[in-house]
């Protein structure tokens, strides 16, 4: 087998749709989403697990897609920022970020929102401390965090 | 991404037996949660070669609570550790270490086996495991061996793990229920920070005397240190200023911290003694 033909076929779900890609086993989920599937809502910040810009849900749990190799994706279910809106309506947490200035340049926002979704799945009304812990792996260089924490705390409220 | 992927091969064994056979045949390197290896890959620092994707191997996962000990499969994640009630109750240092490892997305993926095998002197679970007399089960095609964790680390990034072996499980004996536990990591921030100093400890009190004690330190030596001599001078002592001073002097002779990007040797020496004092003062 020639070296560059060492590709494997991966079948998995992205935003509930079955997907099939043929990639090298160490291709990062981040690159599969952005380069193979055109889902560029997921961002690359650091590429080493530190910033959370690439965060997505894998089987309902928050992960950094820059650290997930293709070889571990088979049969999994991935949810990205593109999967949150339903019938053209934004997810309440997306609306809350818009309403409360939780986003400025927007680069960290997809990751922040995916981390918030992971938190809100387990807790409808998280405390500030819980929000702090759940978003601790997501860095923002613009907002100073207060509007982000506010967006999560007041989600669903007017 | 700075790596040239065709330099890498990855095998996914269907069973533990196949994994061990592959390991025996040639130099595969295990890949578990990938939170250490994928960082190296992206930076272009992962050695080219063959990797063994052990992530799905059932035998290496799972947790069992026995009468005398708890078994944690090597693939147990930090999130699983945090969720296990018996660990929260009886092995709080281990749960504290898990809670302070990276942030949640890392805790959902990083495994205890990976943390041990990676053998960073700054890692969070090793000091906790040392306070609980943990044992490590290593497995190869030739058989298994169970070694006390205190003997596992031999030097900087040097361990007992053979190239044909996998970490199978970690065992912690259930005899620390009535001990007092202490785990503190000092880093640049609360989450996502590698330690400058870690002190983990536990002590069994008999009235006002320290009947028995375990003490370990991270980031202050080439590998995670169990501080046997400091334990020894504290065993049988009453909690007193004199005992605390003696212990602080002793621990300074056991550690050998260095200056690096995270901190200085001087700061580490000072903080090590302060954390030791904080632990001793926290005893009833
Ligand atoms: C952003 C970020 C923050 C982090 N923060 C911390 C922190 O605060 N504290 C900390 O201690 N660590 C931290 N880490 C490091 C890492 O998450 C841990 O060391 C983790 O436990 C590694 O486990 P893994 O399964 O992901 O390892 P992998 O990357 O899959 O493997 C790590 C090493 O272990 C070997 N290995 C894995 N499983 C086995 C096995 N069963 N048998 C034999 N060898 C095996 C691999 O060959 C490799 O050498 C952080 C990492 C990142 C990216
Ligand atoms: S790009 Fe993945 S955590 Fe920063
Ligand atoms: S909005 Fe710019 S990084 Fe967060």
């Amino acid at each position: 087998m020639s070296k560059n033909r060492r590709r494997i076929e991966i079948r998995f779900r992205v935003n509930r749709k079955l997907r099939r890609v043929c990639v090298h086993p160490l291709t990062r989920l981040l690159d599969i989403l952005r380069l193979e599937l055109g889902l560029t809502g997921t961002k690359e910040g650091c590429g080493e697990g530190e910033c959370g810009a690439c965060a997505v849900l894998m089987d309902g749990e928050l992960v950094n897609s820059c650290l997930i190799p293709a070889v571990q994706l088979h049969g999994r279910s991935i949810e990205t920022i593109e999967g949150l809106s339903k019938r053209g309506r934004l997810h309440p947490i997306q609306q809350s970020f818009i309403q409360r200035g939780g986003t400025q340049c927007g680069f960290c926002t997809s990751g922040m929102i995916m981390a918030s979704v992971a938190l809100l799945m387990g807790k409808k009304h998280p405390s500030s401390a819980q929000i702090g812990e759940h978003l601790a792996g997501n860095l923002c260089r613009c907002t100073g965090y207060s509007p982000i924490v506010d967006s999560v705390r007041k989600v669903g409220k007017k | 991404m700075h790596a040239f992927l065709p330099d890498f091969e990855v095998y996914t064994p269907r069973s533990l037996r196949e994994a061990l056979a592959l390991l025996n045949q040639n130099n595969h390197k295990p890949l578990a949660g990938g939170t250490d290896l994928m960082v190296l890959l992206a930076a272009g620092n992962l050695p080219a070669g063959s990797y063994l994707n052990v992530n799905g191997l059932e035998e290496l996962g799972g947790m069992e609570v026995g009468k005398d000990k708890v078994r944690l499969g090597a693939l147990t994640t930090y999130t699983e550790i945090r969720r296990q009630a018996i660990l929260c109750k009886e092995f709080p240092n281990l749960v504290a270490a898990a809670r302070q490892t990276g942030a949640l997305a890392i805790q959902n993926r990083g495994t205890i086996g990976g943390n041990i095998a990676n053998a960073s002197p700054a890692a969070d679970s090793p000091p906790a495991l040392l306070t609980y007399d943990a044992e490590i089960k290593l497995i190869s095609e030739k058989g298994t061996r169970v070694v006390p964790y205190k003997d596992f680390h031999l030097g900087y990034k040097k361990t007992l793990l053979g190239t044909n072996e996998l970490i199978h499980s970690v065992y912690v004996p259930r005899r620390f229920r009535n001990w007092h536990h202490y785990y503190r990591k000092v880093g640049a921030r609360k989450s996502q920070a590698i330690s400058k100093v870690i002190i983990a400890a536990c002590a069994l009190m008999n009235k006002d005397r320290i009947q028995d004690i375990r003490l370990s330190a991270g980031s202050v030596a080439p590998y995670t240190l169990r501080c046997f001599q400091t334990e020894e001078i504290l065993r049988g002592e009453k909690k007193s200023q004199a005992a605390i001073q003696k212990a602080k002097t002793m621990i300074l002779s056991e550690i050998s911290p260095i200056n690096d990007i995270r901190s200085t040797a001087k700061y580490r020496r000072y903080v090590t003694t302060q954390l030791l004092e904080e632990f001793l003062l926290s005893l009833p």
Side-chain angles (χ1 to χ4, degrees):
Chain A
M1 213 193 282
S2 93
K3 271 195 164 181
N4 48 16
R5 271 205 249 125
R6 278 185 205 134
R7 290 173 169 244
I8 51 168
E9 186 189 272
I10 312 281
R11 289 158 192 266
F12 67 126
R13 272 175 205 282
V14 180
N15 300 330
R16 300 172 294 282
K17 268 229 288 284
L18 208 56
R19 296 288 201 154
R20 215 192 58 166
V21 294
C22 269
V23 291
H24 184 280
L26 290 185
T27 307
R28 304 176 302 175
L29 170 59
L30 174 65
D31 297 323
I32 297 180
L33 293 173
R34 292 181 57 87
L35 306 176
E36 302 281 324
L37 303 176
L39 296 171
T40 50
T42 302
K43 305 298 180 198
E44 173 162 14
C46 63
E48 50 183 63
E50 297 277 353
C51 75
C54 67
V56 300
L57 303 185
M58 181 158 85
D59 295 337
E61 288 201 318
L62 190 72
V63 298
N64 293 327
S65 63
C66 68
L67 298 180
I68 311 281
V71 68
Q72 296 180 352
L73 274 178
H74 204 78
R76 304 275 196 163
S77 182
I78 303 296
E79 186 152 6
T80 71
I81 189 81
E82 288 91 345
L84 289 186
S85 61
K86 297 270 152 66
R87 278 178 249 104
R89 273 184 68 86
L90 293 180
H91 188 285
I93 189 71
Q94 291 174 300
Q95 288 168 358
S96 191
F97 266 68
I98 294 170
Q99 192 182 334
R100 300 188 169 87
T103 181
Q104 285 184 24
C105 82
F107 206 78
C108 70
T109 309
S110 311
M112 286 288 179
I113 287 185
M114 296 318 287
S116 306
V117 168
L119 167 62
L120 294 168
M121 285 186 322
K123 276 242 149 22
K124 279 244 151 56
H125 304 289
S127 66
S128 295
Q130 286 164 332
I131 296 170
E133 190 189 358
H134 276 254
L135 299 187
N138 295 76
L139 304 183
C140 176
R141 305 196 65 181
C142 303
T143 62
Y145 298 102
S146 312
I148 292 177
V149 173
D150 222 39
S151 305
V152 183
R153 206 156 34 97
K154 297 190 184 144
V155 63
K157 295 200 182 113
K158 272 269 139 58
Chain B
M1 178 83 139
H2 298 288
F4 181 56
L5 290 182
D7 282 347
F8 298 88
E9 267 181 317
V10 184
Y11 293 89
T12 300
R14 269 151 305 183
S15 64
L16 179 59
R17 178 200 270 250
E18 189 188 348
L20 297 176
L22 283 167
L23 276 178
N24 218 23
Q25 278 160 25
N26 79 40
N27 252 341
H28 291 284
K29 213 169 146 53
L31 166 69
T35 58
D36 280 314
L37 293 186
M38 291 300 285
V39 173
L40 294 176
L41 177 78
N45 292 330
L46 189 67
S50 292
Y51 287 78
L52 198 63
N53 173 28
V54 299
N55 201 255
L57 293 179
E58 239 170 78
E59 296 94 327
L60 302 186
M63 239 187 275
E64 281 127 46
V65 181
K67 201 163 116 343
D68 300 326
K69 53 189 167 191
V70 178
R71 182 191 87 89
L72 293 92
L75 293 177
T76 305
T77 63
Y78 298 109
T79 299
E80 288 166 340
I81 289 174
R82 291 185 61 176
R83 284 183 188 152
Q84 182 65 243
I86 192 107
L87 296 180
C88 296
K89 210 164 132 202
E90 296 184 23
F91 304 97
N93 289 348
L94 195 54
V95 177
R99 191 182 300 122
Q100 290 175 60
T101 297
L104 291 185
I106 299 296
Q107 293 168 17
N108 285 337
R109 293 284 301 167
T111 66
I112 189 149
N115 201 221
I116 293 169
N118 189 54
S120 160
D124 282 287
S125 1
L129 290 173
L130 284 173
T131 60
Y132 295 136
D133 297 346
E135 293 181 318
I136 311 285
K137 179 166 156 186
L138 306 176
I139 188 164
S140 75
E141 206 173 31
K142 309 260 151 68
T144 64
R145 52 182 178 143
V146 176
V147 296
Y149 183 52
K150 66 178 171 54
D151 300 333
F152 183 77
H153 295 282
L154 304 172
Y156 179 70
K157 293 253 177 187
K158 274 216 201 85
T159 73
L160 281 177
L161 186 71
T163 52
N164 63 341
E165 277 180 314
L166 288 175
I167 296 176
H168 183 284
S169 302
V170 178
Y171 295 95
V172 278
R174 297 182 63 186
R175 55 167 178 266
F176 294 97
R177 255 164 285 197
N178 301 319
W179 293 50
H180 296 271
H181 309 258
Y182 176 90
Y183 182 96
R184 184 150 176 202
K185 165 186 184 171
V186 175
R189 63 189 280 255
K190 229 170 155 182
S191 292
Q192 214 76 314
I194 307 295
S195 63
K196 300 175 191 223
V197 178
I198 301 171
I199 290 285
C202 59
L204 180 66
M205 300 303 285
N206 185 349
K207 299 206 187 82
D208 56 349
R209 277 184 199 280
I210 298 172
Q211 185 179 325
D212 205 355
I213 180 167
R214 301 284 182 276
L215 182 63
S216 66
S219 272
V220 292
Y223 52 93
T224 311
L225 212 59
R226 168 106 181 255
C227 306
F228 287 106
Q229 288 166 300
T230 311
E231 285 177 11
E232 198 44 49
I233 62 164
L234 283 167
R235 220 166 261 127
E237 284 286 330
K238 272 189 187 161
K239 182 176 107 181
S240 66
Q241 264 313 317
I244 291 172
Q245 286 318 317
K246 258 193 344 196
K248 285 169 82 168
T249 307
M250 182 55 91
I251 203 168
L252 284 176
S253 73
E254 291 196 86
I255 63 176
S256 50
I258 55 167
N259 299 322
D260 65 13
I261 51 163
R262 287 194 304 284
S263 187
T264 63
K266 188 173 169 207
Y267 177 85
R268 288 178 157 128
R269 272 194 289 271
Y270 180 69
V271 173
T272 301
T273 59
Q274 294 307 100
L275 295 187
L276 174 60
E277 178 165 354
E278 181 179 74
F279 160 61
L280 292 171
L281 289 176
S282 75
L283 295 173

